[in-house]
Amino acid sequence: DSGVTQTPKHLITATGQRVTLRCSPRSGDLSVYWYQQSLDQGLQFLIQYYNGEERAKGNILERFSAQQFPDLHSELNLSSLELGDSALYFCASSGTGRTDTEAFFGQGTRLTVV
Amino acid sequence: AQTVTQSQPEMSVQEAETVTLSCTYDTSESDYYLFWYKQPPSRQMILVIRQEAYKQQNATENRFSVNFQKAAKSFSLKISDSQLGDAAMYFCALQNQAGTALIFGKGTTLSVSS
């Protein structure tokens, strides 16, 4: 158990809909990262939050957004869903952000868009 | 641009034998971190081994060891005494600075036969 919790584990939704994925980081971890794993694109970094503030952006679509709340949990919002958004979405957390290099991954949310 | 390349989409090994997975990377940083992650069928991302670029000594974790060649930007993973439980997808990853996102290779699927 990595200590990172993601909900839900599975999600099936229709094209055009909006979903929210939730992540609770390890206790004390300030950084949260979101990654997308798809068959054609592999594992791609989407966005990072550190202590409530956006720190870095990767290949995140404009239809996607994220936030980190005061209790440090994070949510990834995916809107106007397309078939190609079907993927495994991982959340990872790490320590202070400057000295701690190891990222701990949640079990992922499997999103299927039909 | 920072990139990670895993040139072996699939590898196979027999139990108790040794296998080496290849990884090359590109970065303009002088201090960075390299990782190997294992993803079994459960989809959980599990850290196998980590190497700090400033350390010349190759990292070792039980049956897992790396061959880190900084000048050649090569970072291979050696699995000794392979076990059935080693069957998984293995990802090589680069982290340019502590507390930043991971850049992943496309992965190598390792199968282990008895």
Side-chain angles (χ1 to χ4, degrees):
Chain A
D1 183 4
S2 67
V4 179
T5 304
Q6 287 186 250
T7 56
K9 285 187 171 51
H10 302 277
L11 198 50
I12 302 175
T13 190
T15 54
Q17 295 299 305
R18 172 189 168 95
V19 297
T20 297
L21 311 184
R22 182 187 168 101
C23 170
S24 294
R26 283 192 325 155
S27 177
D29 282 357
L30 299 179
S31 267
V32 169
Y33 310 81
W34 286 97
Y35 294 87
Q36 179 194 58
Q37 185 178 21
S38 61
L39 282 174
D40 54 343
Q41 297 292 328
L43 262 164
Q44 287 199 105
F45 166 63
L46 296 178
I47 196 165
Q48 178 193 3
Y49 275 81
Y50 177 77
N51 201 20
E53 301 288 327
E54 181 185 302
R55 170 159 282 185
K57 264 188 175 180
N59 298 320
I60 189 166
L61 299 172
E62 285 191 10
R63 300 183 286 108
F64 297 0
S65 65
Q67 53 185 326
Q68 186 178 27
F69 295 86
D71 66 353
L72 300 178
H73 91 271
S74 178
E75 293 181 355
L76 179 66
N77 301 296
L78 315 175
S79 61
S80 302
L81 284 167
E82 302 174 0
L83 295 178
D85 298 326
S86 296
L88 187 58
Y89 290 85
F90 281 108
C91 167
S93 74
S94 68
T96 62
R98 290 293 182 196
T99 60
D100 196 320
T101 61
E102 182 171 349
F104 295 85
F105 282 78
Q107 291 194 314
T109 294
R110 167 73 69 187
L111 174 66
T112 303
V113 183
V114 297
Chain B
Q2 293 84 27
T3 58
V4 177
T5 303
Q6 294 180 249
S7 59
Q8 307 153 315
E10 297 178 352
M11 292 284 284
S12 61
V13 65
Q14 289 202 319
E15 264 188 303
E17 297 296 308
T18 297
V19 64
T20 299
L21 308 183
S22 302
C23 172
T24 57
Y25 61 91
D26 191 21
T27 178
S28 55
E29 302 287 336
S30 56
D31 285 331
Y32 49 87
Y33 305 86
L34 294 161
F35 304 83
W36 279 98
Y37 277 87
K38 171 184 177 181
Q39 187 179 43
S42 67
R43 298 294 185 185
Q44 177 72 46
M45 294 291 287
I46 302 165
L47 178 64
V48 175
I49 200 164
R50 169 176 55 198
Q51 175 80 43
E52 291 87 348
Y54 64 86
K55 290 186 179 178
Q56 292 187 337
Q57 186 173 6
N58 290 323
T60 299
E61 288 287 344
N62 300 314
R63 299 181 295 107
F64 298 87
S65 61
V66 298
N67 183 3
F68 173 49
Q69 302 288 328
K70 191 172 183 179
K73 293 184 178 176
S74 170
F75 183 61
S76 61
L77 174 69
K78 185 171 83 171
I79 306 174
S80 304
D81 186 25
S82 297
Q83 301 176 358
L84 293 177
D86 295 333
M89 175 86 88
Y90 286 81
F91 291 96
C92 179
L94 165 69
Q95 185 182 48
N96 278 311
Q97 297 176 25
T100 62
L102 295 166
I103 303 161
F104 287 93
K106 293 286 190 186
T108 297
T109 301
L110 177 67
S111 57
V112 182
S113 56
S114 55

